[in-house]
Amino acid sequence: MSGLQLIATGGAIPGRTVTNEDLSRMVDTSDEWITSRTGIRTRHWCTEHESAATLAISAAKQALARSGLAPAQIGCCICATLSAPDATPSVACQVQAALGLPEDRPALDVNAACSGFLYGIAVARGLLTTLGGQYALVIGCEALSRLMDPADRSTCVLFGDGAGAAIFQLSDTPFALTLGARGSDVLHAGGPNRTGSAPITMDGKAVFRFAVDALPKCLHTVLDETQLTLDDLEWVVCHQANSRIIDHCVRALKADPAKFYKNMDRHGNTSAASIPVALNELAENGQLQPGQLLACIGFGGGLTWGGAIFQYKE
């Protein structure tokens, strides 16, 4: 069995909701300016007692409960994040302890920014096939509000916090994966709560040019590998950076926009969390049904990219 299928999801959204109107009282901006340029209307920021780790634990507990699996059946725990509250213990190790996962299973964080969840899937697949096991817990979680300069209107309007978790099973169902990186600091962030750390900075035009190039290439690569077409996919779940990026690519692909799930209007850009948060919403809303095929496409800081095709259950 060389591929993975998705069998369960979970999610966690922090307690502070921040609207565009709220931000207009903090910086020189407006709801119309933010919405027209990004598609974002609200985002959620961590409260004092929340972090990327607490959100990851909540999302992982929900995914495990929904899977019907016992903790002992999880073969590895991978957490994608760029905003872990501590250098060590990793968020994955904190999840391992909170869920009571076995001590003889690997748990580690990966940082590929907005493509992190796809990188996490790749790491999980490799660990299962080399060390054994059938099931992997892959999490994307962020507390980007801890990294932002709240006075920088070019970035504070974009980013939100959240976590999504997914449990994958080794399977012979259709599967493909592609990853890459271009090595650039056009999107830069220092570490949270560390002396001298730099806030998020971004060259928005450069990121846009990269994203509209990377997204279609990733999608074509995984479609070609599986010999599928867009018509075979029920959903394409992209990193939720900006509605204009997805809309641009939909037009370039001459694709059905209804296939491309969007929720950045409610969550903003949550980096590594955006794809698993969207997957969890689809599952919770009954829009993701057993047997459906979907593609996930990530792109962002690094500049990294990733794409995957897999099936939801059998």
Side-chain angles (χ1 to χ4, degrees):
M1 292 183 286
S2 59
L4 297 175
Q5 66 171 335
L6 176 64
I7 65 168
T9 65
I13 303 302
R16 181 184 176 191
T17 300
V18 181
T19 67
N20 290 347
E21 288 78 8
D22 293 331
L23 289 172
S24 71
R25 294 188 286 271
M26 298 166 54
V27 294
D28 182 17
T29 191
S30 67
D31 175 64
E32 189 279 331
W33 190 92
I34 299 169
T35 303
S36 64
R37 287 163 176 78
T38 69
I40 300 168
R41 297 184 181 275
T42 64
R43 72 287 293 145
H44 306 275
W45 291 353
C46 285
T47 63
E48 179 183 356
H49 302 292
E50 293 174 315
S51 70
T54 65
L55 297 175
I57 290 168
S58 295
K61 285 181 176 179
Q62 188 176 66
L64 183 63
R66 289 172 173 171
S67 72
L69 299 174
Q73 293 177 270
I74 301 300
C76 61
C77 176
I78 312 300
C79 184
T81 185
L82 63 87
S83 55
D86 306 289
T88 190
S90 67
V91 174
C93 283
Q94 294 179 60
V95 170
Q96 181 267 340
L99 272 63
L101 304 182
E103 294 183 3
D104 61 347
R105 313 294 162 81
L108 71 149
D109 288 359
V110 297
N111 179 1
C114 309
S115 305
F117 185 70
L118 281 305
Y119 275 67
I121 291 173
V123 172
R125 179 194 183 199
L127 289 172
L128 291 180
T129 55
T130 55
L131 298 179
Q134 287 291 311
Y135 302 97
L137 171 60
V138 183
I139 306 159
C141 64
E142 301 289 10
L144 299 177
S145 61
R146 302 277 165 81
L147 302 180
M148 296 185 303
D149 177 358
D152 179 7
R153 74 166 188 168
S154 67
T155 56
C156 75
V157 303
L158 300 175
F159 297 103
D161 305 340
I167 293 180
F168 289 94
Q169 178 183 12
L170 281 178
S171 172
D172 283 329
T173 52
F175 181 81
L177 184 67
T178 183
L179 301 172
R182 192 170 293 175
S184 170
D185 67 350
V186 295
L187 198 165
H188 178 88
N193 306 321
R194 297 172 194 165
T195 302
S197 66
I200 295 175
T201 59
M202 183 174 67
D203 180 342
K205 291 182 179 179
V207 171
F208 184 92
R209 289 193 297 269
F210 165 72
V212 298
D213 175 59
L215 194 164
K217 285 183 178 179
C218 282
L219 185 56
H220 284 307
T221 298
V222 290
L223 285 172
D224 290 346
E225 184 174 336
T226 54
Q227 298 184 330
L228 297 170
T229 70
L230 263 174
D231 290 338
D232 297 313
L233 303 178
E234 189 69 24
W235 294 104
V236 179
V237 181
C238 302
H239 167 51
Q240 303 291 300
N242 185 311
S243 63
R244 294 202 297 180
I245 291 172
I246 296 176
D247 292 344
H248 178 95
C249 293
V250 168
R251 290 192 296 270
L253 292 163
K254 298 180 180 178
D256 178 3
K259 284 183 180 286
F260 287 72
Y261 187 74
K262 293 196 292 185
N263 68 357
M264 76 283 292
D265 61 316
R266 302 187 301 281
H267 301 293
N269 180 342
T270 58
S271 190
S274 72
I275 291 175
V277 166
L279 291 175
N280 184 57
E281 285 189 348
L282 283 168
E284 287 188 335
N285 295 337
Q287 296 172 276
L288 197 56
Q289 295 295 318
Q292 291 178 343
L293 295 169
L294 61 154
C296 294
I297 310 293
F299 48 85
L303 296 165
T304 62
W305 66 82
I309 285 177
F310 50 82
Q311 184 174 332
Y312 180 55
K313 301 182 180 179
E314 285 189 81

